[in-house]
């Protein structure tokens, strides 16, 4: 949690369009999520005032860098996160055979942070996100608590995803469906 590391995190976020061709976006996003996933413990809110501990300052800087990257390259952010969520889901299906504790993985611990970034992108760039609706839905479903979704309608659990008129949720069958204009196909998710 040195000042040099926090400066590097800040530079990656602010200059992401310059660094993007030279870095692995997946590793950068997972690294920033790793730093910021303890934000609820270190920072009560995003506008938390000074003085900050070095850990809280690194967390706040990583959160800010994530948001800068997401707004600079929204399509790359969403596709990268969707790829990581798909990888996580595959590991989760095979976790019993492999005896891997996935609750300690970054994607599990940083669900709140990922959802906040996706919600921010939906608020700011809804037209861009509608072309990536399948990926946005996959990421959102990964971040939501399935028990909440079984008991409450989707518009209460995640109002931002309901801004797309292509998304619908049936509480009796526990299915979420959406139509992507880009792919011109319907995706259907069954919530266990």
């Amino acid at each position: 949690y040195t000042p040099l590391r926090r400066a590097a995190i800040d530079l990656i976020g602010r200059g992401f369009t310059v660094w993007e061709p030279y870095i692995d976006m997946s590793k950068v996003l997972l690294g920033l999520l790793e730093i910021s996933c303890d934000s609820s413990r270190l920072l009560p809110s995003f506008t938390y005032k000074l003085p900050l501990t070095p850990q809280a300052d690194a967390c706040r800087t990583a959160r800010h860098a994530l948001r800068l990257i997401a707004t600079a390259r929204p399509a790359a952010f969403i596709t990268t996160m969707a790829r990581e969520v798909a990888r996580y889901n595959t590991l989760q299906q095979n976790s019993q055979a492999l005896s891997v504790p996935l609750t300690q993985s970054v994607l599990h611990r940083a669900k709140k942070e990922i959802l906040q970034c996706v919600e921010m992108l939906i608020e700011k760039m809804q037209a861009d996100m509608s072309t990536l609706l399948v990926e946005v839905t996959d990421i959102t479903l990964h971040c939501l608590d399935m028990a909440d979704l079984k008991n409450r309608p989707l518009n209460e659990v995640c109002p931002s995803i309901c801004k797309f008129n292509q998304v619908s949720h049936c509480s009796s069958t526990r299915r979420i469906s959406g139509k992507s204009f880009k792919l011109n196909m319907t995706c259907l998710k069954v919530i266990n």
Side-chain angles (χ1 to χ4, degrees):
Y1 301 108
T2 64
L4 184 61
R5 186 176 187 198
R6 289 192 302 275
I9 293 168
D10 190 44
L11 282 174
I12 286 174
R14 291 178 191 271
F16 185 73
T17 55
V18 174
W19 307 119
E20 185 181 12
Y22 308 105
I23 58 177
D24 183 353
M25 186 165 183
S26 182
K27 289 183 180 179
V28 169
L29 292 179
L30 290 177
L32 291 173
L33 286 169
E34 177 78 38
I35 296 168
S36 65
C37 68
D38 292 331
S39 62
S40 59
R41 183 175 52 83
L42 296 171
L43 293 171
S45 72
F46 193 61
T47 57
Y48 190 67
K49 303 293 181 207
L50 297 174
L52 294 175
T53 64
Q55 293 89 349
D57 194 18
C59 178
R60 187 177 69 169
T61 305
R63 289 173 79 183
H64 185 65
L66 274 170
R67 283 155 179 73
L68 288 174
I69 291 170
T71 53
R73 295 284 193 253
F77 177 84
I78 293 294
T79 54
T80 302
M81 290 310 304
R83 193 176 331 115
E84 291 301 322
V85 165
R87 189 175 295 144
Y88 175 87
N89 290 339
T90 303
L91 279 175
Q92 190 175 25
Q93 291 171 353
N94 300 326
S95 67
Q96 292 172 346
L98 300 173
S99 300
V100 178
L102 291 177
T103 56
Q104 296 303 314
S105 75
V106 175
L107 283 180
H108 181 77
R109 292 187 341 230
K111 285 181 178 184
K112 181 180 173 185
E113 194 65 37
I114 296 167
L115 188 59
Q116 287 174 353
C117 287
V118 170
E119 287 174 342
M120 177 204 60
L121 287 174
I122 292 171
E123 287 292 323
K124 290 185 175 185
M125 306 173 182
Q126 186 173 352
D128 293 338
M129 294 299 102
S130 66
T131 60
L132 299 164
L133 187 58
V134 174
E135 292 87 355
V136 169
T137 305
D138 284 343
I139 296 167
T140 303
L141 287 177
H142 167 75
C143 297
L144 294 178
D145 182 12
M146 291 303 134
D148 280 349
L149 199 53
K150 288 177 184 177
N151 299 324
R152 296 175 20 208
L154 183 63
N155 60 353
E156 287 181 15
V157 177
C158 188
S160 60
I161 198 78
C162 292
K163 289 184 179 186
F164 299 107
N165 58 4
Q166 307 98 299
V167 174
S168 62
H169 173 247
C170 178
S171 57
S172 61
T173 61
R174 296 186 325 221
R175 292 183 180 194
I176 295 175
S177 65
K179 183 167 183 153
S180 171
F181 293 123
K182 181 180 174 186
L183 300 175
N184 197 18
M185 62 181 273
T186 300
C187 74
L188 191 63
K189 299 286 180 190
V190 179
I191 301 145
N192 295 330

